[in-house]
mmCIF file of all heavy atoms in Angstrom:
data_model
loop_
_atom_site.group_PDB
_atom_site.id
_atom_site.type_symbol
_atom_site.label_atom_id
_atom_site.label_comp_id
_atom_site.label_asym_id
_atom_site.label_seq_id
_atom_site.Cartn_x
_atom_site.Cartn_y
_atom_site.Cartn_z
ATOM 1 N N LYS A 173 185.478 65.246 88.223
ATOM 2 C CA LYS A 173 185.816 64.104 89.093
ATOM 3 C C LYS A 173 186.290 64.566 90.459
ATOM 4 O O LYS A 173 185.970 63.972 91.480
ATOM 5 C CB LYS A 173 186.918 63.242 88.409
ATOM 6 C CG LYS A 173 186.439 62.481 87.191
ATOM 7 C CD LYS A 173 187.586 61.696 86.576
ATOM 8 C CE LYS A 173 187.164 60.929 85.322
ATOM 9 N NZ LYS A 173 188.301 60.244 84.671
ATOM 10 N N LEU A 174 187.078 65.656 90.451
ATOM 11 C CA LEU A 174 187.567 66.168 91.738
ATOM 12 C C LEU A 174 186.395 66.690 92.584
ATOM 13 O O LEU A 174 186.376 66.468 93.792
ATOM 14 C CB LEU A 174 188.567 67.322 91.495
ATOM 15 C CG LEU A 174 189.881 66.901 90.815
ATOM 16 C CD1 LEU A 174 190.755 68.133 90.619
ATOM 17 C CD2 LEU A 174 190.659 65.879 91.656
ATOM 18 N N GLN A 175 185.452 67.365 91.942
ATOM 19 C CA GLN A 175 184.299 67.818 92.673
ATOM 20 C C GLN A 175 183.499 66.653 93.272
ATOM 21 O O GLN A 175 183.068 66.690 94.418
ATOM 22 C CB GLN A 175 183.370 68.666 91.766
ATOM 23 C CG GLN A 175 183.942 70.026 91.452
ATOM 24 C CD GLN A 175 183.027 70.804 90.513
ATOM 25 O OE1 GLN A 175 182.360 70.234 89.642
ATOM 26 N NE2 GLN A 175 182.997 72.159 90.603
ATOM 27 N N ASP A 176 183.347 65.622 92.433
ATOM 28 C CA ASP A 176 182.578 64.437 92.927
ATOM 29 C C ASP A 176 183.289 63.765 94.081
ATOM 30 O O ASP A 176 182.644 63.272 95.020
ATOM 31 C CB ASP A 176 182.418 63.438 91.753
ATOM 32 C CG ASP A 176 181.480 63.974 90.682
ATOM 33 O OD1 ASP A 176 180.846 64.991 90.926
ATOM 34 O OD2 ASP A 176 181.418 63.376 89.587
ATOM 35 N N VAL A 177 184.648 63.744 94.035
ATOM 36 C CA VAL A 177 185.394 63.080 95.091
ATOM 37 C C VAL A 177 185.054 63.675 96.444
ATOM 38 O O VAL A 177 184.746 62.972 97.442
ATOM 39 C CB VAL A 177 186.893 63.144 94.843
ATOM 40 C CG1 VAL A 177 187.713 62.888 96.070
ATOM 41 C CG2 VAL A 177 187.298 62.156 93.746
ATOM 42 N N PHE A 178 185.072 64.993 96.544
ATOM 43 C CA PHE A 178 184.850 65.689 97.828
ATOM 44 C C PHE A 178 183.372 65.657 98.208
ATOM 45 O O PHE A 178 183.037 65.590 99.363
ATOM 46 C CB PHE A 178 185.375 67.102 97.784
ATOM 47 C CG PHE A 178 186.868 67.172 97.585
ATOM 48 C CD1 PHE A 178 187.450 67.605 96.391
ATOM 49 C CD2 PHE A 178 187.717 66.798 98.617
ATOM 50 C CE1 PHE A 178 188.793 67.661 96.215
ATOM 51 C CE2 PHE A 178 189.093 66.857 98.444
ATOM 52 C CZ PHE A 178 189.628 67.274 97.244
ATOM 53 N N SER A 179 182.487 65.693 97.207
ATOM 54 C CA SER A 179 181.043 65.658 97.530
ATOM 55 C C SER A 179 180.621 64.287 98.012
ATOM 56 O O SER A 179 179.778 64.149 98.893
ATOM 57 C CB SER A 179 180.236 66.013 96.276
ATOM 58 O OG SER A 179 180.561 67.329 95.807
ATOM 59 N N THR A 180 181.251 63.226 97.473
ATOM 60 C CA THR A 180 180.834 61.883 97.845
ATOM 61 C C THR A 180 181.169 61.562 99.274
ATOM 62 O O THR A 180 180.403 60.894 99.960
ATOM 63 C CB THR A 180 181.531 60.807 96.966
ATOM 64 O OG1 THR A 180 181.934 61.389 95.754
ATOM 65 C CG2 THR A 180 180.597 59.697 96.653
ATOM 66 N N VAL A 181 182.332 61.991 99.773
ATOM 67 C CA VAL A 181 182.716 61.662 101.136
ATOM 68 C C VAL A 181 182.088 62.630 102.159
ATOM 69 O O VAL A 181 182.264 62.475 103.321
ATOM 70 C CB VAL A 181 184.253 61.679 101.295
ATOM 71 C CG1 VAL A 181 184.870 60.604 100.469
ATOM 72 C CG2 VAL A 181 184.846 63.021 100.919
ATOM 73 N N GLY A 182 181.395 63.661 101.655
ATOM 74 C CA GLY A 182 180.695 64.557 102.566
ATOM 75 C C GLY A 182 181.609 65.498 103.342
ATOM 76 O O GLY A 182 181.249 65.886 104.444
ATOM 77 N N VAL A 183 182.750 65.865 102.766
ATOM 78 C CA VAL A 183 183.619 66.821 103.452
ATOM 79 C C VAL A 183 183.690 68.081 102.617
ATOM 80 O O VAL A 183 183.471 68.047 101.402
ATOM 81 C CB VAL A 183 185.033 66.251 103.643
ATOM 82 C CG1 VAL A 183 184.982 65.064 104.588
ATOM 83 C CG2 VAL A 183 185.651 65.839 102.334
ATOM 84 N N GLN A 184 184.003 69.197 103.290
ATOM 85 C CA GLN A 184 184.159 70.449 102.583
ATOM 86 C C GLN A 184 185.393 70.417 101.686
ATOM 87 O O GLN A 184 186.478 70.007 102.121
ATOM 88 C CB GLN A 184 184.277 71.616 103.589
ATOM 89 C CG GLN A 184 184.304 72.975 102.903
ATOM 90 C CD GLN A 184 184.359 74.129 103.940
ATOM 91 O OE1 GLN A 184 184.353 73.838 105.128
ATOM 92 N NE2 GLN A 184 184.377 75.326 103.455
ATOM 93 N N ASN A 185 185.224 70.869 100.465
ATOM 94 C CA ASN A 185 186.318 70.819 99.508
ATOM 95 C C ASN A 185 187.439 71.778 99.927
ATOM 96 O O ASN A 185 187.220 72.986 99.993
ATOM 97 C CB ASN A 185 185.791 71.218 98.115
ATOM 98 C CG ASN A 185 186.819 70.989 97.049
ATOM 99 O OD1 ASN A 185 188.003 70.738 97.309
ATOM 100 N ND2 ASN A 185 186.409 71.071 95.787
ATOM 101 N N PRO A 186 188.612 71.269 100.246
ATOM 102 C CA PRO A 186 189.696 72.136 100.710
ATOM 103 C C PRO A 186 190.444 72.795 99.500
ATOM 104 O O PRO A 186 191.280 73.650 99.723
ATOM 105 C CB PRO A 186 190.611 71.206 101.465
ATOM 106 C CG PRO A 186 190.439 69.885 100.774
ATOM 107 C CD PRO A 186 189.026 69.827 100.290
ATOM 108 N N ILE A 187 190.120 72.351 98.300
ATOM 109 C CA ILE A 187 190.829 72.826 97.108
ATOM 110 C C ILE A 187 189.905 73.763 96.342
ATOM 111 O O ILE A 187 188.728 73.444 96.083
ATOM 112 C CB ILE A 187 191.248 71.647 96.206
ATOM 113 C CG1 ILE A 187 192.001 70.576 97.017
ATOM 114 C CG2 ILE A 187 192.128 72.136 95.065
ATOM 115 C CD1 ILE A 187 193.259 71.071 97.704
ATOM 116 N N ASP A 188 190.430 74.916 95.963
ATOM 117 C CA ASP A 188 189.692 75.895 95.180
ATOM 118 C C ASP A 188 189.697 75.458 93.733
ATOM 119 O O ASP A 188 190.608 75.733 93.003
ATOM 120 C CB ASP A 188 190.337 77.281 95.351
ATOM 121 C CG ASP A 188 189.597 78.374 94.547
ATOM 122 O OD1 ASP A 188 188.466 78.075 94.092
ATOM 123 O OD2 ASP A 188 190.175 79.438 94.350
ATOM 124 N N LEU A 189 188.639 74.754 93.303
ATOM 125 C CA LEU A 189 188.573 74.193 91.938
ATOM 126 C C LEU A 189 187.997 75.204 90.974
ATOM 127 O O LEU A 189 187.123 76.019 91.349
ATOM 128 C CB LEU A 189 187.724 72.928 91.930
ATOM 129 C CG LEU A 189 188.251 71.740 92.721
ATOM 130 C CD1 LEU A 189 187.222 70.631 92.704
ATOM 131 C CD2 LEU A 189 189.566 71.252 92.142
ATOM 132 N N PRO A 190 188.505 75.219 89.741
ATOM 133 C CA PRO A 190 187.913 76.125 88.713
ATOM 134 C C PRO A 190 186.458 75.747 88.430
ATOM 135 O O PRO A 190 186.154 74.573 88.223
ATOM 136 C CB PRO A 190 188.788 75.876 87.482
ATOM 137 C CG PRO A 190 190.021 75.228 88.001
ATOM 138 C CD PRO A 190 189.619 74.449 89.190
ATOM 139 N N GLN A 191 185.590 76.737 88.450
ATOM 140 C CA GLN A 191 184.168 76.495 88.118
ATOM 141 C C GLN A 191 183.530 77.836 87.709
ATOM 142 O O GLN A 191 184.067 78.896 87.974
ATOM 143 C CB GLN A 191 183.445 75.898 89.329
ATOM 144 C CG GLN A 191 183.509 76.746 90.582
ATOM 145 C CD GLN A 191 182.926 76.025 91.800
ATOM 146 O OE1 GLN A 191 182.637 74.847 91.774
ATOM 147 N NE2 GLN A 191 182.812 76.735 92.899
ATOM 148 N N ILE A 192 182.404 77.727 87.058
ATOM 149 C CA ILE A 192 181.668 78.913 86.603
ATOM 150 C C ILE A 192 180.458 79.053 87.509
ATOM 151 O O ILE A 192 179.593 78.208 87.571
ATOM 152 C CB ILE A 192 181.242 78.788 85.138
ATOM 153 C CG1 ILE A 192 182.465 78.649 84.227
ATOM 154 C CG2 ILE A 192 180.409 79.993 84.716
ATOM 155 C CD1 ILE A 192 182.101 78.377 82.769
ATOM 156 N N ALA A 193 180.433 80.196 88.241
ATOM 157 C CA ALA A 193 179.335 80.490 89.151
ATOM 158 C C ALA A 193 178.373 81.443 88.519
ATOM 159 O O ALA A 193 178.789 82.509 88.046
ATOM 160 C CB ALA A 193 179.866 81.036 90.468
ATOM 161 N N VAL A 194 177.116 81.077 88.476
ATOM 162 C CA VAL A 194 176.079 81.913 87.796
ATOM 163 C C VAL A 194 175.375 82.757 88.856
ATOM 164 O O VAL A 194 174.778 82.242 89.826
ATOM 165 C CB VAL A 194 175.061 80.996 87.082
ATOM 166 C CG1 VAL A 194 174.078 81.854 86.286
ATOM 167 C CG2 VAL A 194 175.777 80.002 86.173
ATOM 168 N N VAL A 195 175.437 84.087 88.682
ATOM 169 C CA VAL A 195 174.817 85.005 89.643
ATOM 170 C C VAL A 195 173.893 85.969 88.874
ATOM 171 O O VAL A 195 174.110 86.265 87.691
ATOM 172 C CB VAL A 195 175.858 85.792 90.440
ATOM 173 C CG1 VAL A 195 176.678 84.885 91.288
ATOM 174 C CG2 VAL A 195 176.728 86.632 89.537
ATOM 175 N N GLY A 196 172.879 86.414 89.569
ATOM 176 C CA GLY A 196 171.970 87.368 88.999
ATOM 177 C C GLY A 196 170.727 87.515 89.863
ATOM 178 O O GLY A 196 170.532 86.711 90.786
ATOM 179 N N SER A 197 169.909 88.502 89.605
ATOM 180 C CA SER A 197 168.731 88.687 90.424
ATOM 181 C C SER A 197 167.662 87.666 90.034
ATOM 182 O O SER A 197 167.822 86.937 89.004
ATOM 183 C CB SER A 197 168.145 90.129 90.210
ATOM 184 O OG SER A 197 167.814 90.303 88.839
ATOM 185 N N GLN A 198 166.604 87.590 90.778
ATOM 186 C CA GLN A 198 165.577 86.574 90.549
ATOM 187 C C GLN A 198 164.925 86.742 89.180
ATOM 188 O O GLN A 198 164.502 85.766 88.535
ATOM 189 C CB GLN A 198 164.488 86.641 91.632
ATOM 190 C CG GLN A 198 164.964 86.131 92.975
ATOM 191 C CD GLN A 198 163.855 86.158 94.011
ATOM 192 O OE1 GLN A 198 162.689 86.211 93.663
ATOM 193 N NE2 GLN A 198 164.223 86.135 95.304
ATOM 194 N N SER A 199 164.837 87.957 88.709
ATOM 195 C CA SER A 199 164.149 88.233 87.434
ATOM 196 C C SER A 199 165.092 88.394 86.273
ATOM 197 O O SER A 199 164.669 88.842 85.166
ATOM 198 C CB SER A 199 163.293 89.512 87.592
ATOM 199 O OG SER A 199 164.163 90.598 87.914
ATOM 200 N N SER A 200 166.340 88.009 86.411
ATOM 201 C CA SER A 200 167.324 88.249 85.356
ATOM 202 C C SER A 200 167.265 87.176 84.243
ATOM 203 O O SER A 200 167.815 87.424 83.150
ATOM 204 C CB SER A 200 168.744 88.321 85.956
ATOM 205 O OG SER A 200 169.066 87.070 86.545
ATOM 206 N N GLY A 201 166.666 86.027 84.475
ATOM 207 C CA GLY A 201 166.591 84.997 83.446
ATOM 208 C C GLY A 201 167.693 83.946 83.598
ATOM 209 O O GLY A 201 168.075 83.317 82.569
ATOM 210 N N LYS A 202 168.247 83.743 84.807
ATOM 211 C CA LYS A 202 169.300 82.745 84.983
ATOM 212 C C LYS A 202 168.874 81.347 84.538
ATOM 213 O O LYS A 202 169.569 80.644 83.826
ATOM 214 C CB LYS A 202 169.736 82.686 86.466
ATOM 215 C CG LYS A 202 170.562 83.862 86.938
ATOM 216 C CD LYS A 202 171.159 83.622 88.301
ATOM 217 C CE LYS A 202 170.182 83.232 89.363
ATOM 218 N NZ LYS A 202 170.077 81.796 89.555
ATOM 219 N N SER A 203 167.713 80.943 85.025
ATOM 220 C CA SER A 203 167.213 79.570 84.727
ATOM 221 C C SER A 203 167.032 79.365 83.263
ATOM 222 O O SER A 203 167.399 78.306 82.709
ATOM 223 C CB SER A 203 165.921 79.310 85.465
ATOM 224 O OG SER A 203 166.085 79.381 86.875
ATOM 225 N N SER A 204 166.522 80.355 82.561
ATOM 226 C CA SER A 204 166.295 80.204 81.113
ATOM 227 C C SER A 204 167.623 80.084 80.374
ATOM 228 O O SER A 204 167.731 79.303 79.422
ATOM 229 C CB SER A 204 165.488 81.413 80.601
ATOM 230 O OG SER A 204 164.217 81.461 81.131
ATOM 231 N N VAL A 205 168.650 80.815 80.829
ATOM 232 C CA VAL A 205 169.953 80.720 80.186
ATOM 233 C C VAL A 205 170.513 79.305 80.341
ATOM 234 O O VAL A 205 171.009 78.699 79.385
ATOM 235 C CB VAL A 205 170.937 81.749 80.779
ATOM 236 C CG1 VAL A 205 172.355 81.519 80.321
ATOM 237 C CG2 VAL A 205 170.518 83.182 80.416
ATOM 238 N N LEU A 206 170.411 78.754 81.547
ATOM 239 C CA LEU A 206 170.938 77.418 81.798
ATOM 240 C C LEU A 206 170.175 76.373 81.013
ATOM 241 O O LEU A 206 170.769 75.427 80.426
ATOM 242 C CB LEU A 206 170.884 77.064 83.299
ATOM 243 C CG LEU A 206 171.809 77.930 84.183
ATOM 244 C CD1 LEU A 206 171.604 77.571 85.653
ATOM 245 C CD2 LEU A 206 173.253 77.763 83.825
ATOM 246 N N GLU A 207 168.833 76.502 80.948
ATOM 247 C CA GLU A 207 168.048 75.521 80.187
ATOM 248 C C GLU A 207 168.326 75.609 78.695
ATOM 249 O O GLU A 207 168.360 74.595 77.993
ATOM 250 C CB GLU A 207 166.570 75.724 80.476
ATOM 251 C CG GLU A 207 166.155 75.299 81.880
ATOM 252 C CD GLU A 207 164.676 75.419 82.152
ATOM 253 O OE1 GLU A 207 164.033 76.259 81.506
ATOM 254 O OE2 GLU A 207 164.188 74.681 83.023
ATOM 255 N N ASN A 208 168.569 76.833 78.202
ATOM 256 C CA ASN A 208 168.932 76.956 76.791
ATOM 257 C C ASN A 208 170.271 76.302 76.487
ATOM 258 O O ASN A 208 170.456 75.703 75.419
ATOM 259 C CB ASN A 208 168.981 78.445 76.413
ATOM 260 C CG ASN A 208 167.587 79.021 76.201
ATOM 261 O OD1 ASN A 208 166.583 78.340 76.393
ATOM 262 N ND2 ASN A 208 167.516 80.296 75.781
ATOM 263 N N ILE A 209 171.225 76.430 77.425
ATOM 264 C CA ILE A 209 172.514 75.787 77.233
ATOM 265 C C ILE A 209 172.382 74.269 77.200
ATOM 266 O O ILE A 209 172.982 73.591 76.363
ATOM 267 C CB ILE A 209 173.515 76.232 78.346
ATOM 268 C CG1 ILE A 209 173.868 77.723 78.165
ATOM 269 C CG2 ILE A 209 174.784 75.372 78.326
ATOM 270 C CD1 ILE A 209 174.743 78.267 79.290
ATOM 271 N N VAL A 210 171.523 73.729 78.101
ATOM 272 C CA VAL A 210 171.323 72.280 78.148
ATOM 273 C C VAL A 210 170.431 71.818 77.001
ATOM 274 O O VAL A 210 170.575 70.727 76.482
ATOM 275 C CB VAL A 210 170.729 71.870 79.510
ATOM 276 C CG1 VAL A 210 170.391 70.416 79.537
ATOM 277 C CG2 VAL A 210 171.673 72.230 80.652
ATOM 278 N N GLY A 211 169.482 72.704 76.631
ATOM 279 C CA GLY A 211 168.528 72.322 75.577
ATOM 280 C C GLY A 211 167.339 71.544 76.108
ATOM 281 O O GLY A 211 166.586 70.950 75.340
ATOM 282 N N ARG A 212 167.142 71.575 77.413
ATOM 283 C CA ARG A 212 166.016 70.891 78.046
ATOM 284 C C ARG A 212 165.445 71.708 79.182
ATOM 285 O O ARG A 212 166.104 72.483 79.854
ATOM 286 C CB ARG A 212 166.499 69.549 78.608
ATOM 287 C CG ARG A 212 166.799 68.454 77.611
ATOM 288 C CD ARG A 212 165.560 68.076 76.786
ATOM 289 N NE ARG A 212 165.723 66.822 76.102
ATOM 290 C CZ ARG A 212 164.979 65.751 76.353
ATOM 291 N NH1 ARG A 212 164.028 65.777 77.237
ATOM 292 N NH2 ARG A 212 165.198 64.637 75.661
ATOM 293 N N ASP A 213 164.122 71.517 79.426
ATOM 294 C CA ASP A 213 163.480 72.053 80.592
ATOM 295 C C ASP A 213 163.715 71.103 81.785
ATOM 296 O O ASP A 213 163.297 69.964 81.761
ATOM 297 C CB ASP A 213 161.944 72.192 80.388
ATOM 298 C CG ASP A 213 161.604 73.291 79.439
ATOM 299 O OD1 ASP A 213 162.056 74.425 79.687
ATOM 300 O OD2 ASP A 213 160.873 73.036 78.460
ATOM 301 N N PHE A 214 164.406 71.587 82.790
ATOM 302 C CA PHE A 214 164.683 70.679 83.943
ATOM 303 C C PHE A 214 164.766 71.428 85.255
ATOM 304 O O PHE A 214 164.869 70.774 86.323
ATOM 305 C CB PHE A 214 165.977 69.900 83.711
ATOM 306 C CG PHE A 214 167.221 70.743 83.759
ATOM 307 C CD1 PHE A 214 168.002 70.833 84.913
ATOM 308 C CD2 PHE A 214 167.608 71.518 82.653
ATOM 309 C CE1 PHE A 214 169.098 71.627 84.952
ATOM 310 C CE2 PHE A 214 168.728 72.296 82.704
ATOM 311 C CZ PHE A 214 169.502 72.366 83.832
ATOM 312 N N LEU A 215 164.742 72.767 85.249
ATOM 313 C CA LEU A 215 164.873 73.526 86.482
ATOM 314 C C LEU A 215 163.511 73.884 87.053
ATOM 315 O O LEU A 215 162.546 74.113 86.324
ATOM 316 C CB LEU A 215 165.667 74.817 86.229
ATOM 317 C CG LEU A 215 167.158 74.609 85.875
ATOM 318 C CD1 LEU A 215 167.789 75.953 85.527
ATOM 319 C CD2 LEU A 215 167.876 73.956 87.069
ATOM 320 N N PRO A 216 163.420 73.910 88.408
ATOM 321 C CA PRO A 216 162.130 74.274 89.042
ATOM 322 C C PRO A 216 161.727 75.684 88.650
ATOM 323 O O PRO A 216 162.577 76.561 88.417
ATOM 324 C CB PRO A 216 162.427 74.164 90.521
ATOM 325 C CG PRO A 216 163.619 73.287 90.647
ATOM 326 C CD PRO A 216 164.441 73.533 89.414
ATOM 327 N N ARG A 217 160.458 75.910 88.511
ATOM 328 C CA ARG A 217 159.913 77.231 88.193
ATOM 329 C C ARG A 217 158.918 77.625 89.261
ATOM 330 O O ARG A 217 158.389 76.819 89.986
ATOM 331 C CB ARG A 217 159.180 77.179 86.831
ATOM 332 C CG ARG A 217 160.083 76.796 85.670
ATOM 333 C CD ARG A 217 160.831 78.002 85.154
ATOM 334 N NE ARG A 217 161.647 77.656 83.973
ATOM 335 C CZ ARG A 217 162.314 78.578 83.288
ATOM 336 N NH1 ARG A 217 162.314 79.818 83.667
ATOM 337 N NH2 ARG A 217 163.012 78.206 82.235
ATOM 338 N N GLY A 218 158.711 78.938 89.323
ATOM 339 C CA GLY A 218 157.710 79.422 90.289
ATOM 340 C C GLY A 218 158.060 80.818 90.749
ATOM 341 O O GLY A 218 159.009 81.456 90.268
#
């Protein structure tokens, strides 16, 4: 909800909110990990 509040008004979030940032190289399989967690194909491929 806090993330949505700042995104909706279009201002930069001044509060450092807890979140999980996913990093890795292009060939590391990031998209597949996220889709497996969701259980659905929904991310762009190419």
Side-chain angles (χ1 to χ4, degrees):
K173 290 178 182 178
L174 294 178
Q175 286 178 328
D176 292 349
V177 162
F178 295 109
S179 299
T180 336
V181 295
V183 295
Q184 184 177 0
N185 189 349
I187 310 299
D188 179 15
L189 295 174
Q191 57 189 8
I192 299 175
V194 186
V195 297
S197 62
Q198 288 183 19
S199 59
S200 62
K202 287 191 306 94
S203 297
S204 295
V205 170
L206 294 177
E207 289 184 333
N208 281 4
I209 291 176
V210 175
R212 286 298 196 117
D213 288 307
F214 68 98
L215 292 175
R217 298 277 184 177

